[in-house]
Amino acid sequence: MTEPAIDLTDPDRFVRGEHHAMLARLRETDPVHWHATGPGSGFWALTGYDEVAQVYLDHTDFSSESGPMLGGSFRSERDPSAGLMMVATDLPRHRMIRQQLHWAFSQDMIRKVAAQVTTLVEAAIDRALADGGCDFSTDVATELPAGAVMAVMGVSHRDAHELIGLTRRMIGFRDPYFADPTEDERLILAMTQADIFEFFAEVLRDRRKNPGDDLVSRLLGAEMNGRPWTEDEILYNCMNIAVGGNETSSYTACSGLEALIGHPEQYAALRADPHLLDSAVNEILRWSSTNLYVRRGALRDVEVGGRTIRRGDVLTLWNVSANRDARQFTDPGTFDLARTPNRHLSYGTGLHRCIGAMLAQTELSILFRKVADLPTAARLAGPVQRLRSNFINGTTSLPVSFGGPRQKEARHA
Ligand code: HEM
């Protein structure tokens, strides 16, 4: 029987979970693969751990200025956010932006986020316990970014959820649950970006009058290269933090709970031993690989894994595949909460390594401590719905039962 053709651009193949087999085939036979998309067009798909790490660590030869993902509004050579939004910026500008955003990820801020997330997650789990269950994706997982957005941006719980609704729509631009499939994808992305900008423009208007102890107020008073930040720079970087943090942590939470339910012996081990929590969170991050790939552009001709990448070529670094490379991980297909070492690439590595990594670890640790301490282990209570995306591994509906009196209906079965 012939194997189906490789196509890493088709989101439906990801929804059906076929990407693991496609990526494993590439990793074993062609870890630096030219993925044609048409006559004379295509991109490189890097699937081996070493090859992916090499490109992440080489920010001299590989640029981030073509934006973070394939397709959508990011088809052009230079993304409109290039040089403005941290994730789409190269040195030396990247360093200036990152230094100034660091405040939002300091130890003080992490403590503030931890307190906020603890309160919200406890309340959400109490509600779910009273109801006997919940849709974990919408009712509990979204409280992780809500806590972070409230602390970092200084907005209310309600506004945080409004923003999360917008970023979910942006990340879900190919999913009919979030966006009309008959609309042009570029248009959907442009409109969602405009809504996110409008959200932050409103916050900016308020903070000009009422400055507070939050990132927006800080950026309004900050200088870069001896001049104030422009409004565009503030808007793009607030959007970067919101889009970078909202869906990644909440969808990782969903994949983690689903994996625990699917591996009851691992779940039981976590319930029995709180010391497993740190390694468990890292294994959940590896297993989920929520940010499936990142994109780079070659600035000159470079050799990677014996292939010559030409100047101007587009590359995709498949975190989800590197995280299952048997040359790096023993039994990579085993979900092992005690796995150490676990040098997963879920946060990337090098210059652009996730600035929110500590924040995400904190949010996920709080959540999985609570999940481990539930009176009875959570169980699946309905069909799981996956996000239609080849970029983010998401779960848009995860109906679970917490063993109480009533079972809540799934959000969109
Ligand atoms: C499980 C959670 C998370 C995952 C899997 C994740 C994944 C990633 C990855 C792979 C990158 C590297 C992008 C690249 O190299 O092009 C990145 C960068 C980034 N992440 Fe995260 N992230 C998570 C949580 C967060 C949180 C909570 C925030 C903020 C609140 C955040 C904000 C950012 C930002 C702003 C960048 C750009 C950093 C730079 O360009 O220097 N992320 N993230």
mmCIF file of all heavy atoms in Angstrom, residues 56 64 68 86-89 94 98 101 105 148 152 237 240-246 248-249 252 285 289-291 294-296 319 345-349 351-357 359-360 363-364, ligand 1:
data_model
loop_
_atom_site.group_PDB
_atom_site.id
_atom_site.type_symbol
_atom_site.label_atom_id
_atom_site.label_comp_id
_atom_site.label_asym_id
_atom_site.label_seq_id
_atom_site.Cartn_x
_atom_site.Cartn_y
_atom_site.Cartn_z
ATOM 1 N N TYR A 56 17.515 27.318 15.212
ATOM 2 C CA TYR A 56 17.103 28.193 16.317
ATOM 3 C C TYR A 56 18.295 28.996 16.849
ATOM 4 O O TYR A 56 18.176 30.177 17.171
ATOM 5 C CB TYR A 56 16.592 27.351 17.493
ATOM 6 C CG TYR A 56 15.092 27.173 17.585
ATOM 7 C CD1 TYR A 56 14.527 25.900 17.658
ATOM 8 C CD2 TYR A 56 14.233 28.269 17.656
ATOM 9 C CE1 TYR A 56 13.162 25.726 17.781
ATOM 10 C CE2 TYR A 56 12.860 28.093 17.783
ATOM 11 C CZ TYR A 56 12.331 26.830 17.847
ATOM 12 O OH TYR A 56 10.985 26.658 17.977
ATOM 13 N N SER A 64 14.027 36.157 11.713
ATOM 14 C CA SER A 64 12.641 35.985 12.184
ATOM 15 C C SER A 64 11.715 36.999 11.518
ATOM 16 O O SER A 64 10.523 37.030 11.820
ATOM 17 C CB SER A 64 12.589 36.172 13.702
ATOM 18 O OG SER A 64 13.204 35.093 14.344
ATOM 19 N N PRO A 68 5.988 34.700 12.188
ATOM 20 C CA PRO A 68 6.075 33.402 12.870
ATOM 21 C C PRO A 68 5.429 32.223 12.148
ATOM 22 O O PRO A 68 5.689 31.094 12.480
ATOM 23 C CB PRO A 68 5.372 33.664 14.200
ATOM 24 C CG PRO A 68 4.495 34.838 13.964
ATOM 25 C CD PRO A 68 5.018 35.588 12.793
ATOM 26 N N MET A 86 8.351 41.958 18.735
ATOM 27 C CA MET A 86 9.573 41.253 19.149
ATOM 28 C C MET A 86 9.816 39.939 18.409
ATOM 29 O O MET A 86 10.928 39.688 17.944
ATOM 30 C CB MET A 86 9.504 41.000 20.656
ATOM 31 C CG MET A 86 10.687 40.243 21.190
ATOM 32 S SD MET A 86 10.848 40.353 22.946
ATOM 33 C CE MET A 86 9.334 39.649 23.517
ATOM 34 N N VAL A 87 8.772 39.102 18.304
ATOM 35 C CA VAL A 87 8.997 37.775 17.722
ATOM 36 C C VAL A 87 9.367 37.850 16.237
ATOM 37 O O VAL A 87 9.946 36.917 15.692
ATOM 38 C CB VAL A 87 7.747 36.877 17.964
ATOM 39 C CG1 VAL A 87 6.609 37.209 17.020
ATOM 40 C CG2 VAL A 87 8.108 35.408 17.918
ATOM 41 N N ALA A 88 9.061 38.984 15.591
ATOM 42 C CA ALA A 88 9.358 39.142 14.163
ATOM 43 C C ALA A 88 10.473 40.163 13.953
ATOM 44 O O ALA A 88 10.452 40.951 13.012
ATOM 45 C CB ALA A 88 8.095 39.559 13.408
ATOM 46 N N THR A 89 11.452 40.165 14.874
ATOM 47 C CA THR A 89 12.508 41.172 14.839
ATOM 48 C C THR A 89 13.869 40.521 15.049
ATOM 49 O O THR A 89 13.999 39.623 15.869
ATOM 50 C CB THR A 89 12.242 42.219 15.960
ATOM 51 O OG1 THR A 89 10.982 42.810 15.701
ATOM 52 C CG2 THR A 89 13.292 43.290 15.995
ATOM 53 N N HIS A 94 15.895 43.520 18.290
ATOM 54 C CA HIS A 94 15.255 42.529 19.144
ATOM 55 C C HIS A 94 15.697 42.684 20.595
ATOM 56 O O HIS A 94 14.881 42.620 21.522
ATOM 57 C CB HIS A 94 15.574 41.113 18.630
ATOM 58 C CG HIS A 94 15.077 40.046 19.548
ATOM 59 N ND1 HIS A 94 15.853 39.472 20.531
ATOM 60 C CD2 HIS A 94 13.848 39.475 19.676
ATOM 61 C CE1 HIS A 94 15.136 38.587 21.203
ATOM 62 N NE2 HIS A 94 13.923 38.571 20.699
ATOM 63 N N ARG A 98 13.289 43.368 23.793
ATOM 64 C CA ARG A 98 13.193 42.310 24.810
ATOM 65 C C ARG A 98 13.570 42.843 26.193
ATOM 66 O O ARG A 98 12.911 42.526 27.184
ATOM 67 C CB ARG A 98 14.057 41.118 24.393
ATOM 68 C CG ARG A 98 13.873 39.923 25.304
ATOM 69 C CD ARG A 98 14.038 38.602 24.598
ATOM 70 N NE ARG A 98 14.062 37.527 25.576
ATOM 71 C CZ ARG A 98 13.534 36.323 25.411
ATOM 72 N NH1 ARG A 98 12.922 35.999 24.305
ATOM 73 N NH2 ARG A 98 13.613 35.397 26.339
ATOM 74 N N LEU A 101 10.675 44.623 27.648
ATOM 75 C CA LEU A 101 9.496 43.805 27.976
ATOM 76 C C LEU A 101 9.764 42.898 29.174
ATOM 77 O O LEU A 101 8.826 42.321 29.736
ATOM 78 C CB LEU A 101 9.055 42.979 26.764
ATOM 79 C CG LEU A 101 8.538 43.772 25.560
ATOM 80 C CD1 LEU A 101 8.078 42.827 24.458
ATOM 81 C CD2 LEU A 101 7.381 44.708 25.928
ATOM 82 N N PHE A 105 7.909 39.933 32.946
ATOM 83 C CA PHE A 105 8.184 38.514 33.219
ATOM 84 C C PHE A 105 9.130 38.377 34.419
ATOM 85 O O PHE A 105 9.770 37.347 34.595
ATOM 86 C CB PHE A 105 8.774 37.858 31.963
ATOM 87 C CG PHE A 105 7.839 38.003 30.783
ATOM 88 C CD1 PHE A 105 7.992 39.071 29.891
ATOM 89 C CD2 PHE A 105 6.771 37.143 30.607
ATOM 90 C CE1 PHE A 105 7.114 39.250 28.829
ATOM 91 C CE2 PHE A 105 5.877 37.314 29.554
ATOM 92 C CZ PHE A 105 6.046 38.366 28.670
ATOM 93 N N ALA A 148 -2.876 35.849 33.841
ATOM 94 C CA ALA A 148 -1.657 36.523 33.371
ATOM 95 C C ALA A 148 -1.996 37.884 32.778
ATOM 96 O O ALA A 148 -1.342 38.898 33.076
ATOM 97 C CB ALA A 148 -0.941 35.647 32.348
ATOM 98 N N VAL A 152 -0.489 41.351 34.160
ATOM 99 C CA VAL A 152 0.506 42.042 33.314
ATOM 100 C C VAL A 152 -0.082 43.325 32.724
ATOM 101 O O VAL A 152 0.568 44.377 32.713
ATOM 102 C CB VAL A 152 1.009 41.109 32.184
ATOM 103 C CG1 VAL A 152 1.888 41.866 31.201
ATOM 104 C CG2 VAL A 152 1.761 39.918 32.762
ATOM 105 N N ASN A 237 3.568 44.897 20.318
ATOM 106 C CA ASN A 237 4.189 44.067 21.353
ATOM 107 C C ASN A 237 3.191 43.615 22.409
ATOM 108 O O ASN A 237 3.336 42.516 22.965
ATOM 109 C CB ASN A 237 5.414 44.770 21.941
ATOM 110 C CG ASN A 237 6.558 44.667 20.943
ATOM 111 O OD1 ASN A 237 7.088 43.583 20.716
ATOM 112 N ND2 ASN A 237 6.890 45.784 20.294
ATOM 113 N N ASN A 240 1.773 40.749 20.707
ATOM 114 C CA ASN A 240 2.711 39.625 20.743
ATOM 115 C C ASN A 240 2.582 38.863 22.063
ATOM 116 O O ASN A 240 2.511 37.632 22.099
ATOM 117 C CB ASN A 240 4.146 40.154 20.576
ATOM 118 C CG ASN A 240 5.167 39.064 20.262
ATOM 119 O OD1 ASN A 240 6.329 39.351 20.007
ATOM 120 N ND2 ASN A 240 4.774 37.812 20.284
ATOM 121 N N ILE A 241 2.505 39.615 23.159
ATOM 122 C CA ILE A 241 2.409 38.961 24.469
ATOM 123 C C ILE A 241 1.059 38.248 24.610
ATOM 124 O O ILE A 241 0.978 37.122 25.097
ATOM 125 C CB ILE A 241 2.656 39.986 25.596
ATOM 126 C CG1 ILE A 241 4.136 40.373 25.565
ATOM 127 C CG2 ILE A 241 2.245 39.430 26.954
ATOM 128 C CD1 ILE A 241 4.523 41.453 26.530
ATOM 129 N N ALA A 242 0.001 38.886 24.120
ATOM 130 C CA ALA A 242 -1.327 38.274 24.230
ATOM 131 C C ALA A 242 -1.424 37.017 23.360
ATOM 132 O O ALA A 242 -1.834 35.949 23.827
ATOM 133 C CB ALA A 242 -2.400 39.285 23.834
ATOM 134 N N VAL A 243 -1.011 37.130 22.098
ATOM 135 C CA VAL A 243 -1.124 35.969 21.197
ATOM 136 C C VAL A 243 -0.106 34.899 21.612
ATOM 137 O O VAL A 243 -0.386 33.703 21.552
ATOM 138 C CB VAL A 243 -0.921 36.388 19.721
ATOM 139 C CG1 VAL A 243 -0.942 35.181 18.805
ATOM 140 C CG2 VAL A 243 -2.001 37.378 19.295
ATOM 141 N N GLY A 244 1.074 35.342 22.076
ATOM 142 C CA GLY A 244 2.102 34.375 22.499
ATOM 143 C C GLY A 244 1.708 33.612 23.742
ATOM 144 O O GLY A 244 2.125 32.473 23.931
ATOM 145 N N GLY A 245 0.906 34.223 24.606
ATOM 146 C CA GLY A 245 0.642 33.609 25.906
ATOM 147 C C GLY A 245 -0.737 33.035 26.090
ATOM 148 O O GLY A 245 -0.918 32.117 26.892
ATOM 149 N N ASN A 246 -1.734 33.536 25.364
ATOM 150 C CA ASN A 246 -3.114 33.131 25.680
ATOM 151 C C ASN A 246 -3.415 31.695 25.285
ATOM 152 O O ASN A 246 -3.861 30.893 26.114
ATOM 153 C CB ASN A 246 -4.120 34.070 24.999
ATOM 154 C CG ASN A 246 -4.143 35.449 25.645
ATOM 155 O OD1 ASN A 246 -3.423 35.686 26.615
ATOM 156 N ND2 ASN A 246 -4.961 36.347 25.124
ATOM 157 N N THR A 248 -1.291 29.380 23.908
ATOM 158 C CA THR A 248 -0.252 28.386 24.192
ATOM 159 C C THR A 248 -0.460 27.737 25.559
ATOM 160 O O THR A 248 -0.511 26.519 25.674
ATOM 161 C CB THR A 248 1.137 29.038 24.148
ATOM 162 O OG1 THR A 248 1.074 30.258 24.868
ATOM 163 C CG2 THR A 248 1.584 29.299 22.729
ATOM 164 N N SER A 249 -0.628 28.581 26.605
ATOM 165 C CA SER A 249 -0.719 27.960 27.931
ATOM 166 C C SER A 249 -2.060 27.243 28.102
ATOM 167 O O SER A 249 -2.127 26.159 28.662
ATOM 168 C CB SER A 249 -0.464 28.976 29.045
ATOM 169 O OG SER A 249 -1.370 30.032 28.952
ATOM 170 N N THR A 252 -2.074 24.018 26.055
ATOM 171 C CA THR A 252 -1.174 23.028 26.683
ATOM 172 C C THR A 252 -1.875 22.383 27.879
ATOM 173 O O THR A 252 -1.750 21.178 28.121
ATOM 174 C CB THR A 252 0.152 23.690 27.123
ATOM 175 O OG1 THR A 252 0.752 24.315 25.984
ATOM 176 C CG2 THR A 252 1.118 22.683 27.708
ATOM 177 N N LEU A 285 4.511 19.573 28.356
ATOM 178 C CA LEU A 285 4.943 20.525 27.322
ATOM 179 C C LEU A 285 5.532 19.794 26.119
ATOM 180 O O LEU A 285 5.240 20.120 24.966
ATOM 181 C CB LEU A 285 5.987 21.483 27.900
ATOM 182 C CG LEU A 285 5.381 22.593 28.751
ATOM 183 C CD1 LEU A 285 6.365 23.091 29.800
ATOM 184 C CD2 LEU A 285 4.931 23.754 27.873
ATOM 185 N N SER A 289 3.580 19.925 22.604
ATOM 186 C CA SER A 289 4.284 20.722 21.577
ATOM 187 C C SER A 289 3.296 21.698 20.942
ATOM 188 O O SER A 289 3.108 21.722 19.721
ATOM 189 C CB SER A 289 4.901 19.821 20.502
ATOM 190 O OG SER A 289 5.834 18.946 21.075
ATOM 191 N N THR A 290 2.673 22.494 21.786
ATOM 192 C CA THR A 290 1.538 23.325 21.376
ATOM 193 C C THR A 290 1.878 24.234 20.193
ATOM 194 O O THR A 290 1.080 24.395 19.279
ATOM 195 C CB THR A 290 1.048 24.142 22.585
ATOM 196 O OG1 THR A 290 0.731 23.204 23.615
ATOM 197 C CG2 THR A 290 -0.175 24.971 22.260
ATOM 198 N N ASN A 291 3.065 24.843 20.238
ATOM 199 C CA ASN A 291 3.512 25.636 19.085
ATOM 200 C C ASN A 291 4.193 24.640 18.138
ATOM 201 O O ASN A 291 5.356 24.324 18.300
ATOM 202 C CB ASN A 291 4.495 26.703 19.585
ATOM 203 C CG ASN A 291 4.653 27.847 18.627
ATOM 204 O OD1 ASN A 291 5.026 28.938 19.040
ATOM 205 N ND2 ASN A 291 4.388 27.624 17.342
ATOM 206 N N VAL A 294 7.870 26.815 14.192
ATOM 207 C CA VAL A 294 8.102 28.256 14.000
ATOM 208 C C VAL A 294 8.763 28.433 12.635
ATOM 209 O O VAL A 294 9.287 27.479 12.050
ATOM 210 C CB VAL A 294 8.979 28.900 15.102
ATOM 211 C CG1 VAL A 294 8.389 28.682 16.474
ATOM 212 C CG2 VAL A 294 10.408 28.392 15.038
ATOM 213 N N ARG A 295 8.724 29.667 12.170
ATOM 214 C CA ARG A 295 9.233 29.943 10.825
ATOM 215 C C ARG A 295 10.510 30.787 10.877
ATOM 216 O O ARG A 295 10.673 31.629 11.759
ATOM 217 C CB ARG A 295 8.134 30.711 10.074
ATOM 218 C CG ARG A 295 8.549 31.204 8.720
ATOM 219 C CD ARG A 295 7.404 31.938 8.046
ATOM 220 N NE ARG A 295 7.906 32.660 6.903
ATOM 221 C CZ ARG A 295 7.168 33.045 5.886
ATOM 222 N NH1 ARG A 295 5.868 32.818 5.873
ATOM 223 N NH2 ARG A 295 7.704 33.684 4.878
ATOM 224 N N ARG A 296 11.393 30.565 9.927
ATOM 225 C CA ARG A 296 12.580 31.403 9.765
ATOM 226 C C ARG A 296 12.806 31.648 8.272
ATOM 227 O O ARG A 296 12.288 30.913 7.433
ATOM 228 C CB ARG A 296 13.836 30.711 10.330
ATOM 229 C CG ARG A 296 13.867 30.546 11.843
ATOM 230 C CD ARG A 296 14.007 31.883 12.570
ATOM 231 N NE ARG A 296 14.199 31.714 14.006
ATOM 232 C CZ ARG A 296 13.199 31.715 14.889
ATOM 233 N NH1 ARG A 296 11.943 31.863 14.499
ATOM 234 N NH2 ARG A 296 13.458 31.576 16.177
ATOM 235 N N ASN A 319 8.838 21.824 16.056
ATOM 236 C CA ASN A 319 9.061 21.489 17.470
ATOM 237 C C ASN A 319 8.450 20.138 17.802
ATOM 238 O O ASN A 319 9.022 19.337 18.530
ATOM 239 C CB ASN A 319 8.394 22.535 18.376
ATOM 240 C CG ASN A 319 8.976 23.914 18.189
ATOM 241 O OD1 ASN A 319 10.178 24.059 17.957
ATOM 242 N ND2 ASN A 319 8.140 24.939 18.276
ATOM 243 N N LEU A 345 11.877 21.206 23.061
ATOM 244 C CA LEU A 345 12.018 22.500 22.371
ATOM 245 C C LEU A 345 10.672 23.227 22.309
ATOM 246 O O LEU A 345 10.477 24.085 21.443
ATOM 247 C CB LEU A 345 12.587 22.284 20.968
ATOM 248 C CG LEU A 345 14.051 21.830 20.927
ATOM 249 C CD1 LEU A 345 14.480 21.546 19.492
ATOM 250 C CD2 LEU A 345 14.978 22.880 21.548
ATOM 251 N N SER A 346 9.769 22.917 23.218
ATOM 252 C CA SER A 346 8.427 23.521 23.135
ATOM 253 C C SER A 346 8.450 25.037 23.272
ATOM 254 O O SER A 346 7.550 25.714 22.770
ATOM 255 C CB SER A 346 7.520 22.904 24.197
ATOM 256 O OG SER A 346 7.372 21.546 23.899
ATOM 257 N N TYR A 347 9.436 25.572 23.972
ATOM 258 C CA TYR A 347 9.574 27.032 24.076
ATOM 259 C C TYR A 347 10.572 27.588 23.065
ATOM 260 O O TYR A 347 10.984 28.746 23.179
ATOM 261 C CB TYR A 347 10.068 27.417 25.469
ATOM 262 C CG TYR A 347 9.111 27.142 26.607
ATOM 263 C CD1 TYR A 347 9.515 26.375 27.700
ATOM 264 C CD2 TYR A 347 7.833 27.691 26.632
ATOM 265 C CE1 TYR A 347 8.664 26.146 28.771
ATOM 266 C CE2 TYR A 347 6.973 27.454 27.705
ATOM 267 C CZ TYR A 347 7.392 26.685 28.757
ATOM 268 O OH TYR A 347 6.545 26.465 29.823
ATOM 269 N N GLY A 348 11.016 26.753 22.105
ATOM 270 C CA GLY A 348 12.087 27.176 21.217
ATOM 271 C C GLY A 348 13.400 27.194 21.984
ATOM 272 O O GLY A 348 13.491 26.676 23.106
ATOM 273 N N THR A 349 14.428 27.797 21.387
ATOM 274 C CA THR A 349 15.697 27.981 22.101
ATOM 275 C C THR A 349 16.439 29.125 21.416
ATOM 276 O O THR A 349 16.045 29.567 20.336
ATOM 277 C CB THR A 349 16.530 26.669 22.125
ATOM 278 O OG1 THR A 349 17.709 26.868 22.909
ATOM 279 C CG2 THR A 349 16.945 26.216 20.740
ATOM 280 N N LEU A 351 17.904 33.004 20.846
ATOM 281 C CA LEU A 351 17.539 34.412 21.042
ATOM 282 C C LEU A 351 16.052 34.638 21.336
ATOM 283 O O LEU A 351 15.684 35.433 22.189
ATOM 284 C CB LEU A 351 17.891 35.127 19.736
ATOM 285 C CG LEU A 351 17.986 36.624 19.739
ATOM 286 C CD1 LEU A 351 19.164 37.070 20.573
ATOM 287 C CD2 LEU A 351 18.166 37.119 18.291
ATOM 288 N N HIS A 352 15.193 33.943 20.615
ATOM 289 C CA HIS A 352 13.742 34.170 20.737
ATOM 290 C C HIS A 352 13.084 33.188 21.698
ATOM 291 O O HIS A 352 11.852 33.116 21.734
ATOM 292 C CB HIS A 352 13.070 34.063 19.365
ATOM 293 C CG HIS A 352 13.385 35.203 18.455
ATOM 294 N ND1 HIS A 352 12.664 36.373 18.444
ATOM 295 C CD2 HIS A 352 14.360 35.361 17.543
ATOM 296 C CE1 HIS A 352 13.173 37.191 17.541
ATOM 297 N NE2 HIS A 352 14.210 36.606 16.987
ATOM 298 N N ARG A 353 13.901 32.422 22.477
ATOM 299 C CA ARG A 353 13.269 31.444 23.386
ATOM 300 C C ARG A 353 12.170 32.151 24.179
ATOM 301 O O ARG A 353 12.322 33.281 24.613
ATOM 302 C CB ARG A 353 14.302 30.848 24.347
ATOM 303 C CG ARG A 353 13.676 29.770 25.232
ATOM 304 C CD ARG A 353 14.694 29.128 26.169
ATOM 305 N NE ARG A 353 14.105 27.959 26.818
ATOM 306 C CZ ARG A 353 13.427 28.027 27.964
ATOM 307 N NH1 ARG A 353 13.262 29.173 28.600
ATOM 308 N NH2 ARG A 353 12.905 26.923 28.486
ATOM 309 N N CYS A 354 11.072 31.455 24.332
ATOM 310 C CA CYS A 354 9.871 32.047 24.910
ATOM 311 C C CYS A 354 10.165 32.894 26.146
ATOM 312 O O CYS A 354 10.661 32.388 27.163
ATOM 313 C CB CYS A 354 8.892 30.937 25.268
ATOM 314 S SG CYS A 354 7.385 31.596 25.971
ATOM 315 N N ILE A 355 9.833 34.154 26.079
ATOM 316 C CA ILE A 355 10.042 35.063 27.213
ATOM 317 C C ILE A 355 9.036 34.754 28.328
ATOM 318 O O ILE A 355 9.264 35.095 29.488
ATOM 319 C CB ILE A 355 9.944 36.542 26.737
ATOM 320 C CG1 ILE A 355 10.515 37.502 27.778
ATOM 321 C CG2 ILE A 355 8.511 36.912 26.371
ATOM 322 C CD1 ILE A 355 10.645 38.944 27.287
ATOM 323 N N GLY A 356 7.947 34.092 27.970
ATOM 324 C CA GLY A 356 6.904 33.768 28.957
ATOM 325 C C GLY A 356 7.053 32.381 29.559
ATOM 326 O O GLY A 356 6.151 31.908 30.252
ATOM 327 N N ALA A 357 8.215 31.717 29.327
ATOM 328 C CA ALA A 357 8.347 30.315 29.750
ATOM 329 C C ALA A 357 8.133 30.135 31.261
ATOM 330 O O ALA A 357 7.376 29.257 31.683
ATOM 331 C CB ALA A 357 9.712 29.778 29.336
ATOM 332 N N LEU A 359 6.581 32.046 33.284
ATOM 333 C CA LEU A 359 5.179 32.352 33.585
ATOM 334 C C LEU A 359 4.288 31.151 33.252
ATOM 335 O O LEU A 359 3.419 30.749 34.047
ATOM 336 C CB LEU A 359 4.787 33.543 32.724
ATOM 337 C CG LEU A 359 4.020 34.637 33.390
ATOM 338 C CD1 LEU A 359 4.327 35.958 32.730
ATOM 339 C CD2 LEU A 359 2.577 34.332 33.258
ATOM 340 N N ALA A 360 4.544 30.558 32.101
ATOM 341 C CA ALA A 360 3.742 29.393 31.686
ATOM 342 C C ALA A 360 3.972 28.222 32.637
ATOM 343 O O ALA A 360 3.020 27.536 33.028
ATOM 344 C CB ALA A 360 4.105 28.999 30.256
ATOM 345 N N GLU A 363 1.917 28.916 35.714
ATOM 346 C CA GLU A 363 0.471 28.721 35.491
ATOM 347 C C GLU A 363 0.142 27.225 35.433
ATOM 348 O O GLU A 363 -0.821 26.768 36.056
ATOM 349 C CB GLU A 363 0.053 29.331 34.140
ATOM 350 C CG GLU A 363 0.172 30.832 34.033
ATOM 351 C CD GLU A 363 -0.094 31.306 32.590
ATOM 352 O OE1 GLU A 363 -0.613 30.536 31.769
ATOM 353 O OE2 GLU A 363 0.234 32.468 32.288
ATOM 354 N N LEU A 364 0.952 26.475 34.667
ATOM 355 C CA LEU A 364 0.644 25.049 34.461
ATOM 356 C C LEU A 364 0.840 24.256 35.756
ATOM 357 O O LEU A 364 0.077 23.333 36.051
ATOM 358 C CB LEU A 364 1.516 24.482 33.332
ATOM 359 C CG LEU A 364 1.171 25.031 31.934
ATOM 360 C CD1 LEU A 364 2.259 24.691 30.917
ATOM 361 C CD2 LEU A 364 -0.181 24.489 31.435
HETATM 362 C C1 HEM B 1 2.937 26.562 27.090
HETATM 363 C C2 HEM B 1 3.089 27.825 26.867
HETATM 364 C C3 HEM B 1 3.965 28.436 25.807
HETATM 365 C C4 HEM B 1 4.544 27.883 24.688
HETATM 366 C C5 HEM B 1 4.476 26.439 24.217
HETATM 367 C C6 HEM B 1 5.253 28.949 24.008
HETATM 368 C C7 HEM B 1 6.028 28.788 22.855
HETATM 369 C C8 HEM B 1 6.881 29.750 22.355
HETATM 370 C C9 HEM B 1 7.863 29.540 21.326
HETATM 371 C C10 HEM B 1 8.129 28.214 20.588
HETATM 372 C C11 HEM B 1 8.522 30.717 21.115
HETATM 373 C C12 HEM B 1 9.692 30.958 20.162
HETATM 374 C C13 HEM B 1 9.268 31.679 18.886
HETATM 375 C C14 HEM B 1 10.407 31.790 17.891
HETATM 376 O O1 HEM B 1 11.525 31.330 18.129
HETATM 377 O O2 HEM B 1 10.155 32.345 16.803
HETATM 378 C C15 HEM B 1 7.912 31.691 21.990
HETATM 379 C C16 HEM B 1 8.244 33.024 22.049
HETATM 380 C C17 HEM B 1 7.492 33.955 22.727
HETATM 381 N N1 HEM B 1 6.515 33.702 23.665
HETATM 382 FE FE1 HEM B 1 5.883 31.913 24.267
HETATM 383 N N2 HEM B 1 5.041 30.102 24.689
HETATM 384 C C18 HEM B 1 4.272 29.846 25.795
HETATM 385 C C19 HEM B 1 3.859 30.746 26.754
HETATM 386 C C20 HEM B 1 3.997 32.096 26.655
HETATM 387 C C21 HEM B 1 3.441 33.074 27.574
HETATM 388 C C22 HEM B 1 2.640 32.710 28.838
HETATM 389 C C23 HEM B 1 3.736 34.305 27.064
HETATM 390 C C24 HEM B 1 3.372 35.662 27.582
HETATM 391 C C25 HEM B 1 2.513 35.929 28.520
HETATM 392 C C26 HEM B 1 4.510 34.111 25.856
HETATM 393 C C27 HEM B 1 5.013 35.095 25.046
HETATM 394 C C28 HEM B 1 6.000 34.896 24.091
HETATM 395 C C29 HEM B 1 6.667 35.985 23.388
HETATM 396 C C30 HEM B 1 6.390 37.463 23.568
HETATM 397 C C31 HEM B 1 7.610 35.388 22.550
HETATM 398 C C32 HEM B 1 8.617 36.099 21.632
HETATM 399 C C33 HEM B 1 9.983 36.086 22.273
HETATM 400 C C34 HEM B 1 11.066 36.691 21.395
HETATM 401 O O3 HEM B 1 10.860 36.871 20.200
HETATM 402 O O4 HEM B 1 12.140 36.999 21.930
HETATM 403 N N3 HEM B 1 4.642 32.760 25.642
HETATM 404 N N4 HEM B 1 6.938 31.060 22.750
#
